[in-house]
Structures are given as structure tokens and as C-alpha cells.
């Protein structure tokens, strides 16, 4: 089972980063490339423990749906979502937030298992792991921009 780990420093308070990462509308803004949107379950606002959300997106030119459940919520430092239905055999996405000097280190830990046995393992090696790493990295960078802009706006309005 591949594990993708990505760390992103964000010049914003941990509470801001945590809430943006679990905000459905912000998730949509950080995944524009795949046209991701919430179509069932919680479709707006902040995700909480026990919430389900079904995402629809285009990956590899194919429209797909994936339903995840938020299984752990430790505000403002950790939340975990687990796929309950979708293209993967399984995945667990752990979102960690650590205060660091004037900002936050956001850590994504994405562990997944591809479907289709050995064919899935080959797909991981050939393209899927790289694709997922780029997806997570791009989303983290977009979230950083939003968090830092929001923090800057709040400081300027004081």
C-alpha cells in the first residue's frame, strides 16, 4: 500500500489552516484542475466527525464519484477521512497541523490501495502514485495561498 506524505509550510495560524482544509467550498477551489465538487452528504461548510461527503471529479478523463467519511476529528491538529465507496480498493487520508513559529506545517498522509490486484500495483508504479502525489501537492499549495491571503486580509483590517 503506497503512502504519500507531503508537508507544506503555511504562514497562517493553525486554526485557520485546519478550518480551511476541512471546508467543502475551499476543497472545491483547491481542486479546480479535476473539477471536483461535493454532490451528496455534506456539500457546504466545515466537515465534522461522522460526516460523509461524495465528491465528483474528473480523473484521467473519466468522471468519477468517491464517498469519504470523516472518522477522526481532533481540532485544530488532526482529522482523518476514509473512503467508503469509490475507485480505490481503500484509502485513508490523515491531515495533520503543527504550529511552527509564526505559522503552520500542514502534513498530508495519504495511504491507499489500488483495485485490481497486481494490475493495480503496476498502475501505482507506472503512473498512479505520481498522479496522487501531484494532486495532493497542488491542493496543499492552493490551500496555502488561500490561508495566507485570508490571514493578510484579517491583519490589514485590524
Amino acid at each position: 500500500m503506497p503512502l504519500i506524505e507531503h508537508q507544506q509550510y503555511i504562514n497562517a495560524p493553525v486554526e485557520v489552516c485546519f478550518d480551511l482544509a476541512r471546508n467543502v467550498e475551499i476543497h472545491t477551489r483547491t481542486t479546480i484542475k479535476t473539477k471536483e465538487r461535493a454532490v451528496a452528504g455534506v456539500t457546504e461548510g466545515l466537515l465534522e466527525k461522522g460526516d460523509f461527503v461524495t465528491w465528483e471529479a474528473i480523473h484521467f478523463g473519466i468522471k468519477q464519484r468517491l464517498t469519504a467519511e470523516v472518522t477522526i476529528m481532533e481540532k485544530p491538529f488532526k482529522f482523518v477521512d476514509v473512503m467508503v465507496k469509490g475507485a480505490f480498493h481503500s484509502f485513508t487520508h490523515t491531515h495533520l497541523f503543527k504550529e511552527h513559529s509564526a505559522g503552520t506545517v500542514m502534513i498530508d498522509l495519504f495511504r491507499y490501495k489500488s483495485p485490481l490486484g497486481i494490475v493495480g500495483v503496476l498502475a501505482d508504479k507506472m503512473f498512479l502514485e505520481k498522479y496522487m502525489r501531484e494532486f495532493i501537492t497542488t491542493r496543499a499549495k492552493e490551500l496555502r495561498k488561500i490561508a495566507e491571503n485570508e490571514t493578510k486580509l484579517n491583519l490589514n483590517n485590524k
Side-chain angles (χ1 to χ4, degrees):
M1 282 178 56
L3 171 65
I4 296 170
E5 180 175 345
H6 177 75
Q7 294 189 21
Q8 180 71 58
Y9 178 77
I10 302 172
N11 189 21
V14 70
E15 296 83 6
V16 169
C17 298
F18 183 83
D19 283 348
L20 288 173
R22 64 191 183 102
N23 183 300
V24 174
E25 292 93 348
I26 297 300
H27 183 94
T28 301
R29 285 177 49 194
T30 62
T31 56
I32 291 172
K33 198 173 179 182
T34 58
K35 300 180 176 138
E36 198 152 329
R37 63 190 186 102
V39 295
V42 177
T43 58
E44 60 185 28
L46 301 178
L47 293 168
E48 298 289 349
K49 183 178 179 181
D51 284 347
F52 289 83
V53 59
T54 299
W55 301 103
E56 183 177 87
I58 298 173
H59 295 281
F60 305 110
I62 302 165
K63 188 182 286 188
Q64 301 178 32
R65 286 194 176 193
L66 181 143
T67 301
E69 177 185 8
V70 178
T71 59
I72 296 173
M73 181 69 63
E74 298 171 7
K75 297 176 185 177
F77 301 109
K78 177 181 181 180
F79 72 95
V80 177
D81 57 280
V82 176
M83 187 197 81
V84 295
K85 185 177 181 184
F88 290 95
H89 179 273
S90 63
F91 82 60
T92 301
H93 189 172
T94 302
H95 308 258
L96 301 171
F97 303 84
K98 296 182 179 183
E99 294 174 305
H100 187 276
S101 58
T104 302
V105 175
M106 181 176 74
I107 303 165
D108 285 288
L109 301 172
F110 185 77
R111 182 176 303 278
Y112 71 96
K113 184 175 181 184
S114 296
L116 306 175
I118 191 70
V119 174
V121 171
L122 290 172
D124 288 338
K125 302 284 185 226
M126 292 172 60
F127 63 88
L128 186 57
E129 187 172 351
K130 179 179 186 250
Y131 178 85
M132 292 309 302
R133 184 175 305 282
E134 288 174 4
F135 179 81
I136 288 167
T137 300
T138 299
R139 183 171 184 280
K141 288 178 180 177
E142 290 300 314
L143 196 135
R144 182 195 78 218
K145 288 178 195 172
I146 293 167
E148 290 177 353
N149 285 337
E150 183 173 299
T151 300
K152 194 183 305 180
L153 285 172
N154 287 339
L155 290 175
N156 289 338
N157 290 331
K158 287 185 179 182

